[in-house]
Amino acid sequence: MAEAAPALVETVVEVGGRGLALLHPPDAEALLSEEAFAREEFLPYWAELWPSGLALAREVTGRPLAGARVLELGCGLGLPSLAAARAGADVLATDWAPDAIALLERNAERNRIRLETAAASWTAPAPLVERGPWDLVLAADVLYERRNAEALLDLLPRLVARAEGPASSGEILLAEPGRPPAAAFLAAARERWQVTTTVIQKRPRVELHAISV
């Protein structure tokens, strides 16, 4: 007999002076699967309401995004995608975990927000690249494993719009709480691209890295 899915709880978060009602699992650890980990080293990071996701959502809310083409990588619960879409952006939210995509679609409908979703892997990113270039690429707390950092370094320049003449280039906004694999990623990114870092939340600390490739 199949094990019943855990019940969801609702959390209402404030983003840009307005509430977003999110259904999410009450305990991400309860979603751990030994079979999935053995097969793909899969852990249910997507199910957490991470501070970096909320901080990035609040950051993008204040930007002029009407009509912008926005891609979120490793969206999880998708707060930045929901905020960008509510601000008028044309959003594609992506994650490796199909369960994350299904729940984000449900939360978008509950909040009357329109966006697109797709299950996608950074190691097989053709669908993301083919739909580009993107005006803005978002990622929140995605550098929790070394393999993620290596894949992201290869992927980012393939996603964003490049400047031609007076035109503006695309931008990458990475919100990060200081996980160990992020240090190596940022060191390599600064050697290749322009990276501007600011603290957008002090407690818990979240840094925003604006990257132009």
Coordinates of all heavy atoms in Angstrom, one line a residue, residues 3 19 22 36 44 49 78 80 89 100 107 135-136 144 146 157 183 190 196 199 208 212:
E3 N 2.4 4.9 0.6 CA 2.3 5.7 1.8 C 1.7 7.0 1.5 O 1.9 7.6 0.4 CB 3.8 6.0 2.3 CG 3.9 6.8 3.6 CD 5.3 6.9 4.1 OE1 6.1 6.1 3.6 OE2 5.5 7.7 4.9
G19 N 0.5 40.1 1.1 CA 0.7 38.7 1.5 C 0.7 37.7 0.4 O 0.0 37.9 -0.6
L22 N 1.2 30.5 1.1 CA 2.0 29.3 0.6 C 1.6 28.1 1.3 O 1.7 28.0 2.6 CB 3.5 29.5 0.8 CG 4.2 30.6 -0.1 CD1 5.6 30.6 0.3 CD2 3.9 30.4 -1.5
A36 N 15.4 7.4 -3.4 CA 15.7 8.6 -4.3 C 17.1 9.0 -4.0 O 17.8 9.4 -5.0 CB 14.7 9.7 -4.0
P44 N 15.2 16.6 -0.3 CA 14.0 17.5 -0.5 C 14.3 18.9 -0.1 O 13.5 19.5 0.7 CB 12.9 16.8 0.3 CG 13.7 16.2 1.4 CD 15.0 15.7 0.8
L49 N 11.0 26.6 3.5 CA 10.8 28.0 3.2 C 12.0 28.7 3.7 O 12.2 29.2 4.8 CB 9.6 28.5 4.1 CG 9.1 29.9 3.9 CD1 8.8 30.2 2.4 CD2 7.9 30.2 4.7
G78 N 9.3 28.6 -4.7 CA 9.0 29.6 -5.8 C 8.7 31.0 -5.4 O 8.1 31.7 -6.2
P80 N 10.5 33.8 -5.1 CA 10.9 34.9 -6.1 C 10.1 34.8 -7.4 O 9.8 35.9 -8.0 CB 12.4 34.5 -6.3 CG 12.8 33.8 -5.0 CD 11.6 33.0 -4.7
A89 N 6.2 40.4 -14.6 CA 7.2 39.7 -15.4 C 6.6 38.5 -16.1 O 5.6 37.9 -15.5 CB 8.4 39.3 -14.6
A100 N 8.1 19.9 -6.4 CA 8.2 21.3 -6.2 C 7.4 22.0 -7.3 O 6.7 23.0 -7.0 CB 9.6 21.7 -6.3
N107 N 0.2 26.8 -5.7 CA 0.3 28.1 -4.9 C 0.1 29.3 -5.8 O -0.5 30.3 -5.4 CB 1.6 28.1 -4.2 CG 1.6 27.4 -2.9 OD1 0.6 27.4 -2.2 ND2 2.8 26.7 -2.6
D135 N 16.0 38.1 -19.6 CA 16.4 39.4 -19.1 C 16.9 39.3 -17.6 O 17.8 40.1 -17.3 CB 15.2 40.3 -19.1 CG 14.6 40.5 -20.5 OD1 15.4 40.8 -21.4 OD2 13.4 40.4 -20.7
L136 N 16.4 38.4 -16.9 CA 16.7 38.2 -15.5 C 16.7 36.8 -15.1 O 15.7 36.1 -15.4 CB 15.8 39.0 -14.6 CG 16.0 39.1 -13.1 CD1 17.4 39.7 -12.8 CD2 14.9 39.8 -12.3
Y144 N 24.2 24.6 -2.2 CA 24.4 23.8 -1.0 C 25.3 22.6 -1.2 O 25.6 21.9 -0.3 CB 23.1 23.4 -0.4 CG 22.0 23.1 -1.4 CD1 22.0 21.8 -2.0 CD2 21.1 24.0 -1.8 CE1 21.1 21.5 -2.9 CE2 20.1 23.6 -2.8 CZ 20.1 22.4 -3.3 OH 19.2 22.0 -4.3
R146 N 28.7 21.1 -3.9 CA 29.8 21.5 -4.8 C 29.4 21.3 -6.2 O 29.7 22.1 -7.1 CB 31.1 20.8 -4.5 CG 32.2 21.2 -5.4 CD 33.5 20.4 -5.0 NE 33.9 20.7 -3.6 CZ 34.6 21.7 -3.3 NH1 35.0 22.6 -4.2 NH2 35.0 21.9 -2.0
P157 N 26.2 31.8 -18.2 CA 26.4 32.6 -19.4 C 25.6 32.1 -20.6 O 25.5 32.9 -21.6 CB 28.0 32.4 -19.7 CG 28.3 31.2 -19.0 CD 27.4 31.1 -17.8
A183 N 31.5 29.9 -1.7 CA 32.7 30.7 -1.7 C 33.5 30.4 -2.9 O 34.0 31.3 -3.6 CB 33.6 30.4 -0.4
R190 N 33.9 35.8 -9.9 CA 34.5 37.1 -10.0 C 35.7 37.2 -10.9 O 36.1 38.2 -11.4 CB 34.9 37.5 -8.6 CG 33.8 37.8 -7.6 CD 34.2 38.4 -6.3 NE 33.1 38.8 -5.5 CZ 32.6 38.1 -4.5 NH1 33.1 37.0 -4.1 NH2 31.5 38.6 -3.8
T196 N 28.5 42.1 -8.1 CA 28.3 43.1 -7.0 C 27.6 42.5 -5.9 O 26.5 41.9 -6.1 CB 27.5 44.3 -7.6 OG1 28.2 44.9 -8.7 CG2 27.4 45.4 -6.5
V199 N 24.4 43.1 1.2 CA 23.6 42.4 2.3 C 22.2 42.9 2.2 O 21.9 44.0 2.4 CB 24.2 42.6 3.7 CG1 23.4 41.9 4.7 CG2 25.7 42.1 3.7
L208 N 23.1 39.3 -1.5 CA 22.6 39.3 -2.9 C 23.8 39.6 -3.8 O 24.5 40.6 -3.7 CB 21.5 40.4 -3.1 CG 21.0 40.4 -4.5 CD1 20.1 39.2 -4.8 CD2 20.2 41.7 -4.8
S212 N 26.8 40.1 -13.8 CA 26.7 40.4 -15.2 C 27.7 39.6 -16.0 O 28.9 39.8 -15.7 CB 26.9 41.9 -15.5 OG 25.9 42.7 -14.8

